[in-house]
Amino acid sequence: MTQELHNEHAVVVEGLTKRFGNFVAVDSMSFNVKRGEIFGFLGPNGAGKSTTIRMLCGLLGPTEGSARVGGYDISTEPDRVKENIGYMSQRFSLYEDLTVEENIRFYGGIYGLEGAQFEERRQWAIEMAGLRGKETALTRTLSGGWKQRLALGCAVLHQPPIVFLDEPTGGVDPVSRRDFWDLIYNLSSEGTTVFVTTHYLDEAEHCNTIGLVYAGRLIALGSPTSLKSKLERYAIYEVVSENPVDAMDLLQKQPWVAETSIFGSAFHVSTDASTGSDAEIRRTLEQGNIGISRIQRISPSLEDVFIQLIAEESEK
Amino acid sequence: MKAVRELLSKEFLQIRRDKRMLPLILLAPVVQVVLLGYAATVDVKNIRLAVYDADRSSASRSYVERFTATGYFTVIGYVDDPRELGAVLDRGGATLAVHIPRHFARDVGTGRPVRLQLLADGSDANTANISLNYAAQITAGYAESIVTERLARIGGINVPRVSAETRIWYNPDLRSANYMVPGVVALILMIITTTFSAAAIVREKEAGTIEQILVTPIKPFQFILGKLLPFTIIGMVEVGLVLGVAVAWFNVPLRGSVALLFGLCGLFILTTLGLGLFVSTISRTQQQAMMTAQFFIFFPFLFLSGFTFPIDNMPPVIQTLTYGIPLRYFIEIVRGLFLKGVGLEVLWPQALALLIFGVGILGLSVAGFRKRLG
């Protein structure tokens, strides 16, 4: 415990690597997660987010490198790690043929909760999941949002200092997603470290720190604001054109354009901040006989950062 | 151990809640043993006999009556044309056909050699073989009675006779049920414990709950124990049920010690649960698990264990193979206990083999299961 108290970091990852045969799922990742923060692991499907989380939870052994979770080494002290974490996956791993109450009782029992302590946590979980009055309902009859909150409740019954959430909002409606993030904030405000993977960029905005993962590598790390400032050398313009596809093609060929990408009915153009300008874009498109109805410099969103960084990474 | 208790009570809760599982667990073995007890029989009864009697004499009639008198034969009809005998066999109307020639009575009476023809449907080799054996015995008996009768008429001549007094031990009536039902007990125990334990683990994989459990401080062996113990208990209950049916319904004698039988069932369950665990580690879905168990375990076990075909009749290479089939030893144990009433003083080699297989298979499966997790 003392070790934990004096340690500023809940998770310390050093050169963590996982290979399956020739395939490198996680490529020497190193990062730290501060105690009590919400750490978001952001990346496309198959980037290695789940593999990393599974290694940190002791479900998978690393090929190389090491990691400490709650001060305990994942390779040599997996049992101590497991006592200090909660884990919830996208699959909301509940027993569908058991009732709400029975699921809570089972997971509480496995974590060794008893007596008054169990009773208090049971009440807490039911309240938190909003399942008061539905205690005897079979879990399979619950909607996605309820299952998701119950799964979270079961995962943190034993009040672990660190919680790993692997794509916890997959397949859940937007309202439930927002409610779920309120629960994540609550956990975090009570001092729990939350490690969450997602591929939703709007969710990543809620995190204190974001690790951007692409093809098994950590390509950026920092707060949402600091990540956006990485794009300072670029100026980003939102353009509305009647012919966005041709416009993007044409702009992409210009040496001062770094990246174009479609955003709803408009598209974004990242230009070199020193050589590109809205006048330059307007002139180029007019020469190509492509009409534009609006052009406007915008501050970069996380999505812009994401697209830019992945483009840079792919070029390497 | 609280965690194991927690897993156990959860498992029983799930079994109780599954509306298809509970009847399957309790009723299926009983239905199976009843069905198999009747179906898995090599007894040949009700042999259908077709007769062409060209002689139509009292002698020929008394010969045919000897067939029906045994209780094994039913005369399904007399035909008027010898060619029709072939047709009846073709249609499967009769299993055996007898052709009695003209002058049968005259030749028997005057002591000339008599040639009868017996035609058997050999498509079922076993039945044909046994029917022909019966028919040969009946014919020999008929011939002997003629000789004895004529000697008696002449009077005063003593013909030396050698006869064997046969006694059949263990199953004096040679009832198939006595032989097959104990094997069925073994078979059911294997099928139930292997499939249910495999399915119960794979189900947790399908639902993703296995991962949720493995991130808790619970140890893999505790998880395995919590998964396999319920099916050990259920397996033992099934043995009790099936034994009840075997003894009460089929009147199969259980001459050995019931306690020893249960003990050795426990030994055999080590193997079957080990196999179930192994199947679960290589299967992703319950369907896959069922298929794997059926094709790679049950079929070879069924055919090579001596349950269906006597091992002594197999070619030497196959006989050697049977030593690698744990069910083989258990079938020997069950039959020995039921019919011969022997104990460990005779069955210890089989028990030892089961122990080695059980510990080996379960040990390897547990190791494999843990390795898959890492």
Side-chain angles (χ1 to χ4, degrees):
Chain A
M1 273 316 227
T2 48
Q3 191 182 10
E4 251 180 89
L5 285 175
H6 295 305
N7 200 331
E8 185 199 353
H9 293 120
V11 180
V12 179
V13 178
E14 277 163 13
L16 200 63
T17 301
K18 182 71 189 181
R19 281 191 284 271
F20 298 103
N22 286 327
F23 175 68
V24 186
V26 176
D27 192 358
S28 58
M29 267 194 210
S30 301
F31 59 88
N32 297 331
V33 177
K34 285 198 205 74
R35 284 168 44 78
E37 76 171 335
I38 301 176
F39 182 89
F41 226 35
L42 180 66
N45 290 329
K49 303 186 301 276
S50 287
T51 308
T52 307
I53 234 176
R54 291 163 59 80
M55 284 193 281
L56 295 179
C57 292
L59 285 170
L60 211 58
T63 315
E64 271 165 38
S66 65
R68 298 182 80 80
V69 172
Y72 301 105
D73 191 292
I74 56 164
S75 302
T76 58
E77 302 162 289
D79 291 337
R80 302 310 300 274
V81 170
K82 287 175 181 178
E83 284 165 16
N84 284 282
I85 60 166
Y87 167 80
M88 173 191 160
S89 78
Q90 186 179 7
R91 301 168 74 183
F92 313 152
S93 310
L94 299 161
Y95 291 93
E96 302 248 303
D97 51 348
L98 298 188
T99 65
V100 169
E101 178 97 29
E102 286 161 349
N103 267 293
I104 296 174
R105 194 166 293 279
F106 173 68
Y107 282 116
I110 286 226
Y111 277 113
L113 297 184
E114 281 173 307
Q117 191 199 10
F118 169 74
E119 188 49 32
E120 190 229 303
R121 292 305 289 168
R122 185 178 75 88
Q123 297 291 349
W124 172 85
I126 287 172
E127 212 58 61
M128 181 275 277
L131 285 167
R132 174 79 54 224
K134 283 191 173 285
E135 291 92 336
T136 56
L138 280 185
T139 309
R140 79 161 68 90
T141 64
L142 301 179
S143 73
W146 266 328
K147 276 187 202 169
Q148 176 200 42
R149 290 190 292 272
L150 178 59
L152 178 67
C154 289
V156 300
L157 276 177
H158 57 301
Q159 293 173 286
I162 306 162
V163 182
F164 291 92
L165 307 172
D166 192 4
E167 309 245 338
T169 54
V172 162
D173 64 272
V175 177
S176 296
R177 258 176 71 188
R178 212 178 43 221
D179 290 350
F180 192 77
W181 272 92
D182 287 339
L183 296 178
I184 293 180
Y185 284 135
N186 284 347
L187 281 176
S188 169
S189 68
E190 287 160 11
T192 308
T193 309
V194 180
F195 188 119
V196 56
T197 73
T198 182
H199 56 253
Y200 292 117
L201 289 132
D202 59 326
E203 287 187 351
E205 299 265 8
H206 301 309
C207 301
N208 303 112
T209 307
I210 299 172
L212 198 56
V213 196
Y214 182 70
R217 283 197 301 279
L218 188 69
I219 60 174
L221 183 73
S223 67
T225 329
S226 77
L227 283 183
K228 286 174 194 165
S229 71
K230 277 185 192 281
L231 293 195
E232 267 170 2
R233 58 200 179 90
Y234 301 102
I236 295 176
Y237 298 91
E238 186 175 70
V239 184
V240 180
S241 164
E242 60 215 23
N243 191 351
V245 177
D246 290 344
M248 283 165 71
D249 272 352
L250 183 61
L251 287 169
Q252 193 71 66
K253 292 185 189 120
Q254 309 306 315
W256 43 269
V257 171
E259 191 61 43
T260 58
S261 52
I262 198 105
F263 269 74
S265 57
F267 64 91
H268 289 188
V269 187
S270 327
T271 68
D272 196 306
S274 53
T275 54
S277 68
D278 52 348
E280 196 74 9
I281 293 172
R282 202 178 283 279
R283 203 171 51 79
T284 310
L285 291 178
E286 270 164 12
Q287 274 171 7
N289 274 327
I290 298 168
I292 48 175
S293 50
R294 188 160 57 88
I295 181 161
Q296 165 182 22
R297 181 163 180 173
I298 52 165
S299 55
S301 71
L302 258 186
E303 193 160 353
D304 294 309
V305 179
F306 193 63
I307 288 163
Q308 186 60 41
L309 289 175
I310 284 178
E312 283 175 14
E313 187 69 23
S314 305
E315 276 161 27
K316 278 182 197 166
Chain B
M1 281 302 105
K2 184 181 177 332
V4 178
R5 215 170 58 226
E6 218 50 65
L7 275 164
L8 270 181
S9 61
K10 184 220 78 186
E11 206 62 39
F12 279 115
L13 201 62
Q14 284 184 301
I15 292 168
R16 222 174 52 210
R17 190 147 296 158
D18 192 331
K19 292 204 171 52
R20 284 171 309 166
M21 186 106 151
L22 202 59
L24 205 64
I25 284 180
L26 293 178
L27 265 173
V30 174
V31 172
Q32 269 177 338
V33 77
V34 169
L35 283 179
L36 280 170
Y38 284 116
T41 168
V42 291
D43 288 349
V44 177
K45 287 177 189 163
N46 307 319
I47 305 163
R48 292 182 309 263
L49 182 70
V51 181
Y52 172 64
D53 186 354
D55 199 43
R56 295 175 192 274
S57 58
S58 68
S60 67
R61 269 196 303 278
S62 89
Y63 172 66
V64 172
E65 267 163 25
R66 282 179 172 260
F67 279 87
T68 46
T70 58
Y72 293 119
F73 291 90
T74 317
V75 175
I76 54 135
Y78 288 83
V79 298
D80 300 325
D81 186 326
R83 276 169 303 184
E84 246 184 81
L85 286 180
V88 176
L89 286 181
D90 283 346
R91 283 200 307 271
T95 315
L96 196 69
V98 58
H99 180 164
I100 303 172
R102 276 177 65 192
H103 311 310
F104 177 77
R106 188 196 71 195
D107 291 353
V108 164
T110 55
R112 285 193 219 169
V114 177
R115 302 186 79 86
L116 285 155
Q117 190 177 35
L118 288 169
L119 299 167
D121 172 3
S123 55
D124 179 350
N126 182 48
T127 307
N129 216 348
I130 292 175
S131 328
L132 279 174
N133 258 330
Y134 287 154
Q137 276 179 41
I138 290 165
T139 311
Y142 179 72
E144 200 189 307
S145 74
I146 296 167
V147 174
T148 324
E149 197 184 313
R150 295 205 25 203
L151 288 176
R153 236 185 288 154
I154 298 162
I157 299 175
N158 255 335
V159 180
R161 290 174 62 181
V162 180
S163 61
E165 286 296 317
T166 53
R167 270 196 66 201
I168 297 162
W169 278 19
Y170 310 131
N171 186 8
D173 305 329
L174 290 177
R175 282 179 64 212
S176 275
N178 286 0
Y179 180 69
M180 298 308 282
V181 170
V184 173
V185 175
L187 210 62
I188 288 173
L189 184 62
M190 171 180 81
I191 292 174
I192 298 277
T193 49
T194 306
T195 48
F196 283 158
S197 59
I201 295 173
V202 175
R203 200 175 53 214
E204 300 245 1
K205 269 194 195 176
E206 284 178 332
T209 43
I210 192 167
E211 244 179 40
Q212 200 63 48
I213 290 179
L214 293 171
V215 293
T216 68
I218 208 166
K219 304 257 192 307
F221 86 86
Q222 290 178 313
F223 174 75
I224 293 170
L225 207 60
K227 273 314 218 189
L228 299 190
L229 217 51
F231 298 99
T232 312
I233 297 168
I234 288 170
M236 287 302 186
V237 172
E238 316 247 277
V239 170
L241 277 173
V242 173
L243 279 187
V245 175
V247 173
W249 185 272
F250 287 105
N251 294 320
V252 176
L254 176 49
R255 301 197 174 98
S257 147
V258 178
L260 182 62
L261 180 58
F262 272 96
L264 292 175
C265 282
L267 210 53
F268 181 58
I269 286 179
L270 288 182
T271 297
T272 58
L273 293 180
L275 289 171
L277 183 60
F278 172 71
V279 168
S280 79
T281 44
I282 60 170
S283 311
R284 277 209 195 94
T285 65
Q286 294 189 62
Q287 263 170 331
Q288 255 178 20
M290 293 303 110
M291 288 296 164
T292 311
Q294 264 172 31
F295 286 105
F296 296 103
I297 298 176
F298 299 156
F299 281 169
F301 274 37
L302 195 61
F303 296 129
L304 293 175
S305 62
F307 171 74
T308 30
F309 310 117
I311 293 173
D312 291 338
N313 297 353
M314 296 174 187
V317 182
I318 306 288
Q319 284 200 24
T320 315
L321 270 182
T322 64
Y323 289 105
I325 305 287
L327 183 62
R328 176 211 156 116
Y329 305 100
F330 190 55
I331 295 253
E332 283 173 357
I333 285 175
V334 181
R335 284 182 178 155
L337 267 170
F338 261 95
L339 299 177
K340 299 187 184 174
V342 293
L344 267 187
E345 72 285 352
V346 173
L347 296 173
W348 69 266
Q350 283 87 346
L352 185 65
L354 274 191
L355 182 69
I356 293 169
F357 270 107
V359 171
I361 290 176
L362 192 59
L364 283 176
S365 300
V366 170
F369 180 81
R370 297 178 57 159
K371 191 159 170 258
R372 285 273 165 149
L373 299 181

